[in-house]
Amino acid sequence: MKQKKLAVVGCALAIATGVSAAWAAPKKEPIQPIAPVKEINLAVAELGKKLFFDPRLSKSGFISCNSCHNLSMGGTDNIKTSIGHKWNQGPINAPTVLNSSLNLAQFWDGRAKDLQEQAGGPIANPGEMAFTHELAVDVLQSIPGYVVEFQQVFGTDKIDINDVTKAIATFEETLVTPNSRFDQWLLGDDSALSSTELAGYQLFKQSGCVACHNGPAVGGTSYQKMGVVAPYKTTSKAEGRFAVTGKDSDRFKFKVPTLRNIELTYPYFHDGEAATLTEAVDVMGRLQLGKTFTDDEKAKIVAFLKSLTGEQPSFMLPILPPSSDATLPPAPF
Amino acid sequence: MKQKKLAVVGCALAIATGVSAAWAAPKKEPIQPIAPVKEINLAVAELGKKLFFDPRLSKSGFISCNSCHNLSMGGTDNIKTSIGHKWNQGPINAPTVLNSSLNLAQFWDGRAKDLQEQAGGPIANPGEMAFTHELAVDVLQSIPGYVVEFQQVFGTDKIDINDVTKAIATFEETLVTPNSRFDQWLLGDDSALSSTELAGYQLFKQSGCVACHNGPAVGGTSYQKMGVVAPYKTTSKAEGRFAVTGKDSDRFKFKVPTLRNIELTYPYFHDGEAATLTEAVDVMGRLQLGKTFTDDEKAKIVAFLKSLTGEQPSFMLPILPPSSDATLPPAPF
């Protein structure tokens, strides 16, 4: 055992030496690397993972958090606007759950202050999971496997919606995507980006994109009006931050989305109307910056954006505890 | 390296010795243990796993094989009859995909001769995934990650629906659930079952359940009429094997479902009308065997049935390759 430990320490030293020899110094840029997860209660996160994948939190027994925030697909559904209970067409594009802990608030309009508050929303939204918090808790309380796990994790016999959303939020906090090629470059590996990607990043900075898309998540830190220089034309009824504050100045202000893993989270914008990254870059340039990018410039920026794809969360598919005879059956039809 | 190998061999010997000392001889019973997977092409199975989880095989981009054969939930959706495209209510209960390679044929009426033939069905069924084989292949062909993987696995640049369904079927062949407590008992561990479970198994045998529920899958080896002694009353329009053969004698004959993992695959019967195992045992006793089980007998049989829950397939959630600008977008609405 002691020998094994020493071997691991030796290995770590070798890696550290390798890094300092081959890499340049970390760079000072308006975008910072994604930090790995720390100080997570693993038991809570494991419970939260089960709940995230459990369609019994919906009235139909068919829709789970993972249905619209699919962790096989960049934490989104890759659909313009999401499908909810009875195939209801949602009003807005599902934002990625990846790195969502880095957002200043949750939902496009920031109406939930954090991930825990967000997690309760879709469960009770009639157009999404169409359940109630009371019924969701009743279902969980009827499942012996969950009763034991909540007891182990939270020390209580009585399952509470706050513990449910806390567990989901804790799992979501683990969904960071470090070690993208762009982060490797930021951390000092000059060979991590191609010259095209680097030129794209320079354009991204010089054109003013970083004014809003900055920080570790390359976004998520402010609300901005969609259509600064020219109005954004859409059939979407979403009014953004105005729905929360009621202030006219907040009309069409949306939370700036993260650009992390943007290659995976198509289609783009709150209405999902930009099908491709090239189209999204074009629209952003014209409407937000008053700048018409050439095809060559767009290609370079898109190349840079694709270097923001990080390591996807990697975990075993959770096996859910079975319902009991006392569990309320799903009511899909 | 050599030392490590020796250590492993030594360990295996120790286990083998332990087994022969503590266990009785393997038992001769009408039910046999589930065998572990062998001779699987792992590269094909890994590709098939991605396809199994990929909702882009549906018109909506929302429904994957895993939607109705959820591997977090015993390979079923735990809904009476499944939800399809635009929330269409399916005509029949989704059978579990677990151990489905052991079935004599696929679907309740056996209309697909094997898993590969089955896999093509839901993709093109207007009430399920509502796509066409041609469009599904076009979508895959537009995704660079899949093009590379099909090239690596099948050695072809041109993706073909037969390779798609072959990969899915190969993945499904890995979904066996060995090492249930009942199998441990079969293999000689007399302590693996409680006296109640054992009494339940004796009742199960003596009452005649094993006439149909036998073999490694505890079913899946024959078609039988639903309602032998007395007619089964249901609003379901499914006519079973008759739909395939057109023979009057095949009316209401359904493939005998596997009882493996039956604790996880509620609700029961082709119409999903039995919500609990106790109810299912009661109905089977009365309609198939002309036998009214007492509450005590039903409890014992249910206890036995729950000992058939095996090790669930355990694997990393697949990460799907992203669509390209050329990919046909989903059309959910």
Side-chain angles (χ1 to χ4, degrees):
Chain A
M1 193 58 210
K2 201 168 183 184
Q3 254 188 324
K4 204 169 175 184
K5 208 166 176 182
L6 279 174
V8 171
V9 171
C11 189
L13 283 174
I15 292 168
T17 312
V19 169
S20 62
W23 285 23
K27 296 177 177 65
K28 296 239 180 288
E29 295 288 340
I31 298 170
Q32 290 87 43
I34 294 268
V37 194
K38 44 189 171 186
E39 295 188 28
I40 283 283
N41 182 324
L42 262 185
V44 176
E46 279 297 311
L47 172 55
K49 179 166 78 179
K50 289 189 182 130
L51 296 168
F52 189 88
F53 277 84
D54 202 325
R56 288 171 294 187
L57 292 181
S58 68
K59 182 179 180 181
S60 63
F62 191 64
I63 299 177
S64 70
C65 304
N66 195 64
S67 298
C68 298
H69 301 285
N70 193 327
L71 292 169
S72 297
M73 293 162 46
T76 65
D77 52 12
N78 294 143
I79 297 176
K80 277 188 191 181
T81 62
S82 295
I83 295 167
H85 187 68
K86 297 200 172 179
W87 215 263
N88 175 66
Q89 180 169 11
I92 211 154
N93 182 258
T96 180
V97 71
L98 298 178
N99 306 303
S100 55
S101 57
L102 303 175
N103 289 332
L104 84 160
Q106 303 301 326
F107 295 114
W108 280 95
D109 57 12
R111 67 182 181 276
K113 71 173 187 299
D114 56 24
L115 286 173
Q116 182 174 2
E117 191 174 317
Q118 190 282 331
I123 295 172
N125 186 322
E128 299 187 15
M129 295 164 90
F131 222 18
T132 68
H133 289 175
E134 293 68 28
L135 288 171
V137 165
D138 285 353
V139 163
L140 296 175
Q141 190 79 51
S142 75
I143 298 170
Y146 274 130
V147 171
V148 169
E149 198 162 338
F150 273 86
Q151 169 71 47
Q152 284 174 331
V153 166
F154 291 112
T156 169
D157 279 341
K158 208 169 145 37
I159 297 174
D160 179 87
I161 189 67
N162 291 319
D163 289 340
V164 173
T165 53
K166 185 178 180 180
I168 294 173
T170 302
F171 170 60
E172 289 173 338
E173 284 167 25
T174 70
L175 303 175
V176 294
T177 63
N179 210 27
S180 68
R181 286 189 301 105
F182 188 77
D183 282 5
Q184 291 168 22
W185 178 82
L186 280 177
L187 288 163
D189 181 357
D190 285 341
S191 70
L193 295 186
S194 71
S195 59
T196 307
E197 290 162 346
L198 206 53
Y201 177 52
Q202 297 306 336
L203 258 170
F204 185 85
K205 271 204 293 192
Q206 288 155 10
S207 309
C209 309
V210 286
C212 303
H213 291 288
N214 54 41
V218 200
T221 54
S222 66
Y223 303 100
Q224 301 292 340
K225 188 172 176 187
M226 180 71 170
V228 172
V229 179
Y232 179 66
K233 283 176 186 157
T234 178
T235 56
S236 166
K237 294 199 175 88
E239 295 192 301
R241 191 74 186 142
F242 171 75
V244 178
T245 66
K247 287 189 207 164
D248 254 345
S249 59
D250 281 338
R251 210 180 288 271
F252 306 123
K253 275 195 183 171
F254 294 91
K255 187 178 64 188
V256 175
T258 176
L259 297 184
R260 291 284 181 183
N261 310 292
I262 195 75
E263 175 186 17
L264 311 177
T265 62
Y266 52 90
Y268 306 106
F269 303 154
H270 67 277
D271 56 4
E273 283 297 333
T276 68
L277 265 182
T278 305
E279 189 181 336
V281 168
D282 180 74
V283 172
M284 283 285 106
R286 286 187 294 102
L287 300 198
Q288 305 300 99
L289 302 167
K291 199 169 162 59
T292 304
F293 290 120
T294 66
D295 286 351
D296 179 64
E297 286 172 328
K298 281 185 271 190
K300 283 174 177 155
I301 294 174
V302 167
F304 151 65
L305 290 172
K306 289 186 177 179
S307 77
L308 291 168
T309 304
E311 285 173 4
Q312 299 301 294
S314 170
F315 53 83
M316 308 303 275
L317 183 79
I319 302 298
L320 302 178
S323 296
S324 72
D325 291 0
T327 306
L328 181 75
F333 303 112
Chain B
M1 192 59 210
K2 201 169 180 182
Q3 255 190 326
K4 205 170 176 184
K5 208 166 177 181
L6 279 174
V8 171
V9 172
C11 188
L13 282 174
I15 291 169
T17 313
V19 168
S20 64
W23 284 23
K27 296 179 177 66
K28 296 240 180 284
E29 295 288 339
I31 298 170
Q32 290 86 44
I34 294 268
V37 194
K38 43 188 170 186
E39 295 187 27
I40 284 284
N41 182 323
L42 262 184
V44 177
E46 279 297 312
L47 171 56
K49 180 166 77 179
K50 288 187 182 133
L51 296 168
F52 188 89
F53 277 84
D54 201 325
R56 288 170 296 186
L57 292 181
S58 68
K59 182 178 181 181
S60 63
F62 191 64
I63 299 179
S64 71
C65 304
N66 195 65
S67 298
C68 298
H69 301 285
N70 193 328
L71 292 169
S72 297
M73 293 161 48
T76 65
D77 53 12
N78 295 144
I79 297 176
K80 278 188 190 182
T81 62
S82 295
I83 296 168
H85 187 68
K86 296 201 173 178
W87 215 263
N88 175 65
Q89 179 168 12
I92 211 152
N93 182 259
T96 180
V97 72
L98 297 178
N99 307 301
S100 54
S101 57
L102 303 174
N103 289 332
L104 82 161
Q106 302 302 325
F107 294 115
W108 279 95
D109 57 12
R111 68 183 180 274
K113 72 173 187 299
D114 56 22
L115 286 173
Q116 184 176 0
E117 191 174 317
Q118 190 282 330
I123 295 173
N125 186 322
E128 300 186 16
M129 295 163 90
F131 222 19
T132 69
H133 289 175
E134 293 69 28
L135 289 172
V137 165
D138 284 353
V139 162
L140 296 175
Q141 191 78 52
S142 75
I143 299 170
Y146 275 130
V147 172
V148 169
E149 198 161 341
F150 273 87
Q151 169 70 49
Q152 284 175 332
V153 166
F154 291 111
T156 171
D157 279 341
K158 207 168 144 39
I159 297 175
D160 178 88
I161 189 68
N162 291 319
D163 289 340
V164 173
T165 53
K166 185 178 179 179
I168 293 173
T170 302
F171 170 61
E172 289 174 338
E173 284 167 24
T174 70
L175 303 176
V176 294
T177 62
N179 210 26
S180 69
R181 286 190 300 105
F182 188 75
D183 281 6
Q184 292 169 20
W185 179 82
L186 281 175
L187 287 164
D189 182 357
D190 285 341
S191 70
L193 294 185
S194 71
S195 58
T196 306
E197 291 162 345
L198 207 52
Y201 177 52
Q202 297 306 337
L203 259 170
F204 185 84
K205 272 204 293 191
Q206 289 154 11
S207 309
C209 310
V210 286
C212 303
H213 290 287
N214 54 42
V218 202
T221 54
S222 66
Y223 303 100
Q224 301 293 341
K225 187 171 176 187
M226 180 71 170
V228 172
V229 178
Y232 179 65
K233 286 177 185 156
T234 178
T235 56
S236 167
K237 293 198 175 87
E239 295 191 300
R241 191 74 186 143
F242 171 76
V244 179
T245 66
K247 287 189 206 165
D248 254 346
S249 59
D250 280 339
R251 210 180 287 272
F252 306 123
K253 276 195 183 170
F254 294 90
K255 188 178 64 189
V256 175
T258 176
L259 298 184
R260 291 283 179 181
N261 309 294
I262 196 73
E263 175 186 17
L264 310 178
T265 62
Y266 51 89
Y268 306 106
F269 303 154
H270 66 278
D271 56 4
E273 282 297 332
T276 68
L277 266 181
T278 305
E279 190 181 337
V281 168
D282 180 74
V283 171
M284 284 284 105
R286 286 187 294 102
L287 301 196
Q288 304 301 99
L289 303 167
K291 199 168 163 57
T292 304
F293 291 120
T294 66
D295 286 352
D296 179 63
E297 286 172 327
K298 282 184 270 190
K300 282 175 177 155
I301 294 174
V302 168
F304 151 65
L305 291 173
K306 289 187 177 178
S307 77
L308 292 168
T309 305
E311 284 173 5
Q312 299 301 293
S314 170
F315 54 82
M316 308 302 276
L317 183 79
I319 302 299
L320 303 178
S323 296
S324 71
D325 291 0
T327 306
L328 181 76
F333 303 111

